[in-house]
Amino acid sequence: MTENAPRTTGASYAAAGVDIDAGERAVELFAPHAKRATRPEVMGGIGGFAGLFSLKNTYRQPLLASSTDGVGTKIAVAQAMDVHNTVGIDLVAMVVDDLVVCGAEPLFLQDYIAIGKVVPEHVASIVEGIAEGCVRAGCALLGGETAEHPGLMRPDEYDISATGFGIVEADEVLQADNVRPGDVIVGMASSGLHSNGYSLARHVLLELARLPLEGHVEEFGRTLGEELLEPTRIYALDCLSLVAETDVRVFSHVTGGGLAENLARVMPRGLVARLDRGRWPVPPVFGTIAHHGRVEQSEMERTFNMGVGMVAVLPEADVDRAQAVLTARHVDNWVIGHVEKAGDDADAPRVVLEGSHSRF
């Protein structure tokens, strides 16, 4: 090359769309949030290649439980509202509330954030929500990964997922075989839509009804966007309190498929759960969706939680104690049904919904 030849700039990772410096800045911003979500068993700190968690010799026959989930298209609402510190709570809820169904105590969670372009403040806001969810669940945020995907995702797009781990003694696992005729079903109030059915909710409210996210909705007492971004309730510590205080047979986390399909997963053959729709109030958001979309009741009940986000099946003798525990923990709850022997038809549904909702 001659002395006067023009210089050329070679290709770089940053020019290709991946900003390592922005990623490092994001870590600096979310580190204080992540440090909040810890437990005494966590070894080491942020920045390692793997998270370390010490299992102390306090278990007899420990079983590890694991669960993986995401938040779904609720993220589209967060992106449209430019509010990113709530969907992380949803993410934790969807993972730990599955873990606790078998009686497992959530220990730690690891997240994965795929994003079109790393904006450090946005990533920190997402992790802020994940850390808050872990604090509410009593588990540690043991680590995670942020991956920048230019060309695959738009700069303002992201998706999140997480895997959580819990622990339960082998002889204390909650399962369908524990359920008996005469058991009572207690429903715990949801905080709204939670993180299921948003494809239908968005289609009805934003596309068919053309309701603005920033518009105030009288029935909700706040804007539509605020209602849709209400975080999923985390029941993990509430359920563990019930395990400690009562002889819980099993739990059922009400997610996609609704109350009937999820409760059926923990009903053994030969038994049927009979539920009365009139036993609990349905939050206004469900009626709004049904009204604007002319959605049939069966479709609503198969898509949404309809106001019950977690179910506990207990012996009748433990119901009063269970309701007292939940009330003390500020969880609205109702006796919504009971378990009885099924008929001779082996193909009959294991959950039957009867009656009608008082205000739906």
Side-chain angles (χ1 to χ4, degrees):
M1 180 181 291
T2 64
E3 184 176 347
N4 295 324
R7 293 182 178 273
T8 59
T9 302
S12 69
Y13 212 8
V18 178
D19 190 340
I20 295 176
D21 292 335
E24 293 177 347
R25 174 59 178 158
V27 173
E28 292 177 6
L29 292 178
F30 70 59
H33 301 300
K35 289 178 180 178
R36 290 181 56 228
T38 189
R39 288 174 57 119
E41 301 96 331
V42 174
M43 312 296 291
I46 297 172
F49 285 88
L52 299 176
F53 193 96
S54 173
L55 286 179
K56 299 178 181 179
N57 296 323
T58 57
Y59 301 97
R60 294 175 286 103
Q61 288 183 293
L63 296 180
L64 286 177
S66 67
S67 176
T68 299
D69 212 334
V71 178
T73 61
K74 188 172 187 174
I75 287 177
V77 181
Q79 292 169 355
M81 295 285 291
D82 195 24
V83 175
H84 311 288
N85 64 345
T86 60
V87 288
I89 300 173
D90 293 293
L91 179 62
V92 176
M94 299 306 289
V95 172
V96 300
D97 286 343
D98 275 355
L99 287 176
V100 81
V101 163
C102 70
E105 176 190 1
L107 295 178
F108 60 85
L109 179 140
Q110 293 190 308
D111 66 75
Y112 180 82
I113 303 171
I115 194 165
K117 179 178 176 57
V118 170
V119 177
E121 293 75 14
H122 287 179
V123 174
S125 187
I126 295 169
V127 176
E128 176 188 358
I130 297 173
E132 173 61 25
C134 287
V135 170
R136 296 184 187 185
C139 68
L141 178 55
L142 195 57
E145 173 72 10
T146 301
E148 197 167 21
H149 290 167
L152 183 64
M153 307 175 79
R154 294 197 309 267
D156 60 340
E157 286 183 338
Y158 63 85
D159 197 8
I160 58 178
S161 63
T163 298
F165 292 86
I167 195 164
V168 61
E169 293 284 3
D171 59 358
E172 295 177 0
V173 173
L174 305 181
Q175 52 193 346
D177 290 345
N178 297 343
V179 180
R180 298 287 183 267
D183 284 346
V184 175
I185 301 165
V186 174
M188 303 176 216
S190 70
S191 56
L193 294 177
H194 282 185
S195 297
N196 294 101
Y198 272 77
S199 294
L200 177 57
R202 289 168 47 247
H203 172 64
V204 169
L205 300 176
L206 304 182
E207 296 176 12
L208 297 182
R210 297 184 179 275
L211 299 178
L213 287 170
E214 66 277 7
H216 183 84
V217 180
E218 184 176 354
E219 293 87 348
F220 306 158
R222 54 183 171 178
T223 68
L224 175 61
E226 290 170 335
E227 177 69 27
L228 295 182
L229 285 186
E230 177 67 33
T232 304
R233 184 188 292 273
I234 295 176
Y235 300 95
L237 296 182
D238 306 313
C239 290
L240 291 175
S241 294
L242 286 182
V243 170
E245 297 284 344
T246 69
D247 185 22
V248 177
R249 307 291 201 199
V250 74
F251 294 109
S252 175
H253 185 199
V254 184
T255 55
L259 181 54
E261 290 189 16
N262 283 284
L263 185 54
R265 295 164 65 179
V266 295
M267 280 295 115
R269 184 177 297 277
L271 298 180
V272 59
R274 198 167 294 278
L275 308 180
D276 182 352
R277 294 184 181 95
R279 294 289 187 91
W280 75 91
V282 177
V285 65
F286 299 107
T288 300
I289 293 170
H291 170 72
H292 284 288
R294 298 181 180 179
V295 185
E296 297 290 337
Q297 178 172 283
S298 59
E299 183 70 12
M300 291 292 298
E301 291 180 337
R302 195 177 184 198
T303 305
F304 302 109
N305 64 65
M306 300 300 286
V308 176
M310 181 70 77
V311 164
V313 182
L314 311 104
E316 185 175 10
D318 284 0
V319 171
D320 288 346
R321 179 59 182 163
Q323 291 198 278
V325 168
L326 292 173
T327 300
R329 296 186 60 82
H330 309 290
V331 180
D332 289 341
N333 61 92
W334 316 274
V335 172
I336 63 173
H338 65 277
V339 178
E340 61 185 41
K341 289 185 178 180
D344 296 331
D345 185 358
D347 296 324
R350 297 190 186 184
V351 178
V352 176
L353 282 162
E354 300 175 325
S356 60
H357 297 296
S358 57
R359 293 188 301 168
F360 177 70

